[in-house]
Amino acid sequence: ISKLLAPHDLAGLTVLVTAGPTRESLDPVRYISNRSSGKMGYALARAAALRGARVILVSGPTALEPPPDVEFIPVETADQMFNEVTRAFGGADVIIKAAAVADYRPVTVSHQKIKKSGQEMIIELVPNPDILAELGRRKTSQQLLIGFAAETNNLEQYAREKLSRKNLDLLVANDITMPGAGFDYDTNIVRIFGPHDEVEDLPLMDKNTVAHKILDRVIELRKSRQG
Ligand code: CTP
Ligand code: CA
């Protein structure tokens, strides 16, 4: 039924969505990751497909089923996500990076299980590529690039800084200290920062509804760009 009710306002467009955490292996049994459930990204992919877009979903490991009618590309590490996203990027009109990419990975991956020594252990990490920043450098004037940020403090300052530093069209930020916002919840409370210092504050809502609100902004931005 939702399929019949959804407006087909994204028909003809390709939407590339990233979702979930990345995993950075230490050894065959251990990894460094983060608390992303993938729910926000999957809701975006589902909503965009319902609205008629061709959807490519590049996802780190989650407990979720891929939504119907999306091209699903599973990845594990930030490096793999970087490769898949840059491959699909050229054909995408709208790119939404909801994934929680690990900022660092262990400098070496042990092929054998690391045994405990009982001593203090130090893990050396190296930075992962910033996928979104790279897309911001490559983006054409026809493409819309949307980032996410989960923050615990100074949300407005960090959000505006990421929007400009990564050359984004929209930045969707949420304060993960608010009950009902962020990781693992089915709901979210987001602030959508736009290119002209404007911000839209959305109340607590279902992640599917948040997804449609973000896509409404995408449609608006495309219309305003086309004059
Ligand atoms: N991102 C990315 N590649 C990375 C890190 C982040 O593509 N290596 C993207 C995320 O998918 C998200 C946005 O950048 O859309 C913001 O992620 P965030 O972690 O909030 O920003 P960082 O630049 O990593 O800054 P910090 O973690 O220090 O807040
Ligand atoms: Ca980060």
Side-chain angles (χ1 to χ4, degrees):
I1 291 180
S2 51
K3 201 164 197 160
L4 294 173
L5 292 177
H8 265 223
D9 51 5
L10 293 174
L13 299 180
T14 297
V15 177
L16 170 62
V17 180
T18 73
T22 68
R23 275 182 191 170
E24 312 297 330
S25 285
L26 268 167
D27 73 7
V29 296
R30 305 182 181 97
Y31 56 80
I32 294 175
S33 192
N34 59 66
R35 292 186 190 279
S36 170
S37 67
K39 285 176 181 169
M40 193 62 244
Y42 279 54
L44 278 158
R46 183 180 303 109
L50 281 171
R51 288 166 74 153
R54 172 186 173 218
V55 178
I56 304 167
L57 174 60
V58 178
S59 176
T62 74
L64 307 173
E65 285 293 318
D69 305 320
V70 313
E71 292 160 47
F72 184 68
I73 305 176
V75 296
E76 200 161 295
T77 65
D79 255 334
Q80 288 167 358
M81 185 172 280
F82 182 90
N83 290 336
E84 295 300 338
V85 167
T86 49
R87 196 202 312 271
F89 175 69
D93 302 290
V94 180
I95 302 95
I96 309 179
K97 282 235 58 198
V101 183
D103 291 328
Y104 293 90
R105 65 174 182 276
V107 67
T108 53
V109 183
S110 170
H111 294 295
Q112 294 177 333
K113 184 183 168 193
I114 300 167
K115 302 305 284 184
K116 69 181 176 211
S117 68
Q119 303 297 308
E120 180 177 306
M121 176 175 165
I122 292 169
I123 299 167
E124 199 177 337
L125 303 174
V126 290
N128 273 326
D130 189 321
I131 306 168
L132 191 57
E134 181 57 31
L135 300 184
R137 286 187 282 271
R138 295 187 192 184
K139 149 181 109 162
T140 69
S141 58
Q142 311 301 313
Q143 290 176 306
L144 289 178
L145 188 58
I146 294 132
F148 271 75
E151 306 286 356
T152 55
N153 57 294
N154 293 342
L155 182 139
E156 180 143 4
Q157 181 201 327
Y158 290 140
R160 292 198 193 284
E161 188 196 295
K162 283 172 189 174
L163 184 77
S164 76
R165 178 163 50 90
K166 303 196 187 198
N167 191 24
L168 308 178
D169 298 287
L170 292 174
L171 187 283
V172 183
N174 63 302
D175 178 345
I176 54 170
T177 66
M178 305 250 268
F183 304 130
D184 268 324
Y185 287 103
D186 288 323
T187 54
N188 211 349
I189 307 168
V190 305
R191 311 186 69 188
I192 306 178
F193 293 83
H196 308 293
D197 267 2
E198 73 275 31
V199 54
E200 181 184 1
D201 287 317
L202 298 180
L204 177 79
M205 49 174 77
D206 185 73
K207 282 182 177 171
N208 286 309
T209 313
V210 177
H212 280 290
K213 293 279 185 197
I214 293 167
L215 295 174
D216 290 345
R217 289 295 298 274
V218 166
I219 297 285
E220 263 175 44
L221 267 178
R222 279 185 61 86
K223 279 193 187 137
S224 70
R225 295 283 168 89
Q226 285 155 0

